[in-house]
Structure formats: C-alpha cells, structure tokens
Amino acid sequence: MLYAIDLLTTRRSIKPIEMSGPGPSPAELEKILTVGARVPDHGKIVPWRFIVFEGDARTRAGEIFAKVFRAKNVTATPDQVEAEKKRFTHAPLVIAVVSRTSKHPKVPLWEQELSAGASAMNIVHAAHALGYVANWLTGWMAFDRDVLTALGLSPDEKLAGFIHIGKAERPTDDRPRPSLSDIVTRF
Ligand SMILES: Cc1cc2nc3c(=O)[nH]c(=O)nc-3n(C[C@H](O)[C@H](O)[C@H](O)COP(=O)(O)O)c2cc1C
C-alpha cells in the first residue's frame, strides 16, 4: 500500500497490452467504483455513471467494436478487425465512465463534464492505490454513436473514457513530465 502523496507522484499509465490478470476482486472493484463516485459534483447532480466490463463482457464489447469497424471501414483487413475484437481483452477489467449532463439553472454543462473527468481520474488513482495499473483511453469507439448505443448509452450521454485496469507484467520507464516553470505563473 502506497502513501497517497507517493502514489500521486509516481503513478503512470501502462498500455493494456502490457497488463495481465488477476483483476481486482469484487470488494476491490466496489472500492474503486466508490472512489470514482466520490468527486466534486456541483449541485449534487451525479453527472456520470459507470459500466463494468469483466470476463466475457469484454469479448462481447470487442464484437461490437469489430462489427461497427468492419461496417465503416470496407477495406479493413481481417487483422485489423481482429485487433478491434481484442481491444478489451488485454486488461482483466475495463470501466467505462459515462458523462450524463443535464440542463441546470446554476451548473454549466462544462462543470458537469469536468466532474466526469474527475471521476475517471479517481478510478485510475484508486486502482493504483490497490496495487493495480490503469490506463484511461478513448479511441474511435468512444466517439462512435453506433458503438455507444450498442453499449447502452442514451443519445445524450457521452463517453469520458474507458479505464483499463490490471497487473503490470513488468516495470516500465516513466515518460517526461512537464516542467513546472513552463506551466506555473504567480499572479
Ligand atoms: C480523456 C483522455 C483520453 C485518452 N485517450 C487515449 C487514447 O485513446 N490513447 C492513448 O494512447 N492515450 C490516451 N490518453 C492518455 C493516457 O491516458 C495516458 O495519460 C498517457 O498514456 C500518458 O501516461 P501517464 O498517465 O503515465 O501520463 C487519454 C487521456 C485522457 C485524459
């Protein structure tokens, strides 16, 4: 178990293809989702919800991606279609964070969308805190309405991200981080 500040200063993403099982236990998954729901939320609107993909559900999602991909890319090779099928099968767990905004007299849609981003980031951090690795991804499927409908999203819902969660197969190097002198000013 890492101290919070160590976790926050060392967390990094790992590609799903470099992840393996086992995934979080049911109790750990509940903890991760609970942390995902514990985010700033102006107006207590709850402008997000989660879809869990584990086991066979990951393959069923991949079949949706492959079907839509094939229909919209007539020149797609069998290898490309196969890769779409496998998108969710590398990590043992994928959590979709769905942004569901609604008109509110005081809370702009932008703030509601930011809350979904906070939720996704909390899920990433909770996974790391429990000893897993995570990667927040979108990809074409996150913006394709046919895919989103097949995953159960309503027309006014958007996909904030698919969080892939698993165990790291091997340690990897960190990437360069922005220099604070480039992004911080004092007023
Ligand atoms: C909303 C959102 C969508 C993202 N989608 C992708 C993606 O589709 N593909 C990708 O390679 N990285 C994507 N990323 C970036 C990764 O989540 C990750 O931040 C990146 O690989 C750098 O790793 P780090 O988290 O260790 O800084 C996305 C990040 C955000 C915030």
Side-chain angles (χ1 to χ4, degrees):
M1 193 75 72
L2 285 168
Y3 284 111
I5 197 66
D6 294 333
L7 169 78
L8 294 169
T9 50
T10 58
R11 180 214 61 82
R12 62 145 310 168
S13 297
I14 306 269
K15 288 182 186 154
I17 200 145
E18 292 165 7
M19 291 181 196
S20 58
S25 68
E28 288 175 324
L29 175 57
E30 187 167 330
K31 182 79 79 184
I32 289 168
L33 295 170
T34 302
V35 173
R38 193 180 183 88
V39 293
D41 166 15
H42 191 180
K44 302 183 191 71
I45 298 167
V46 193
W48 22 258
R49 66 183 182 90
F50 313 127
I51 306 171
V52 175
F53 301 85
E54 284 183 300
D56 172 54
R58 299 169 307 149
T59 316
R60 284 189 283 113
E63 276 159 11
I64 291 169
F65 304 152
K67 188 174 164 204
V68 175
F69 183 80
R70 203 187 296 113
K72 294 185 180 178
N73 297 277
V74 283
T75 57
T77 64
D79 281 356
Q80 286 173 320
V81 174
E82 199 52 33
E84 294 301 332
K85 251 187 212 167
K86 288 189 178 148
R87 270 187 189 270
F88 274 19
T89 58
H90 303 296
L93 167 68
V94 180
I95 300 173
V97 177
V98 177
S99 162
R100 47 172 194 184
T101 56
S102 52
K103 272 208 156 73
H104 188 282
K106 284 192 188 149
V107 185
L109 296 186
W110 167 232
E111 290 188 7
Q112 299 179 41
E113 290 177 347
L114 288 172
S115 184
S119 200
M121 196 65 234
N122 259 22
I123 287 173
V124 168
H125 278 136
H128 278 270
L130 291 170
Y132 297 92
V133 289
N135 199 347
W136 175 354
L137 300 177
T138 46
W140 69 269
M141 325 81 68
F143 303 98
D144 186 290
R145 207 20 82 178
D146 293 326
V147 167
L148 297 183
T149 301
L151 294 181
L153 274 72
S154 60
D156 55 343
E157 291 182 320
K158 293 200 271 187
L159 212 290
F162 297 111
I163 320 281
H164 299 243
I165 296 170
K167 288 283 179 190
E169 283 183 347
R170 63 188 75 84
T172 47
D173 294 334
D174 198 5
R175 67 177 176 90
R177 301 289 163 178
S179 162
L180 290 186
S181 59
D182 290 338
I183 55 167
V184 180
T185 53
R186 286 185 193 275
F187 184 75

